[in-house]
Amino acid sequence: MTCPLPYYLCHAAIALGIAAVLWPILGLKAGLVAGVAFYVGREFTQWEAGLPFDWKGLAAPFIVCGFFLLMGGIHE
């Protein structure tokens, strides 16, 4: 499956998807953290395998999930 958006935006969308699935079970904060942690682990294992470190692919989920964490904290 190919994402029609730039790859780093797809990373952010997948992180939000992980958060949406886990939100009812673990809560908003834990779901968002899990979405980001998925990409931290993914980038680390790819870096260990010899691929160059992908800052954009890691920064996009951090920024988007961080935004939702901040907005969630404002409304609590």
Side-chain angles (χ1 to χ4, degrees):
M1 186 167 132
T2 304
C3 183
L5 301 171
Y7 76 94
Y8 50 89
L9 293 179
C10 293
H11 286 202
I14 291 169
L16 287 177
I18 292 169
V21 169
L22 294 177
W23 184 356
I25 302 164
L26 301 174
L28 175 63
K29 291 179 184 175
L32 290 169
V33 169
V36 171
F38 171 78
Y39 275 101
V40 170
R42 181 179 182 272
E43 293 303 329
F44 180 74
T45 56
Q46 288 185 344
W47 176 72
E48 276 187 321
L51 295 171
F53 195 76
D54 180 19
W55 289 105
K56 282 196 254 180
L58 189 58
F62 263 103
I63 292 168
V64 171
C65 289
F67 173 76
F68 278 92
L69 275 173
L70 287 174
M71 295 309 294
I74 291 171
H75 295 293
E76 287 183 1

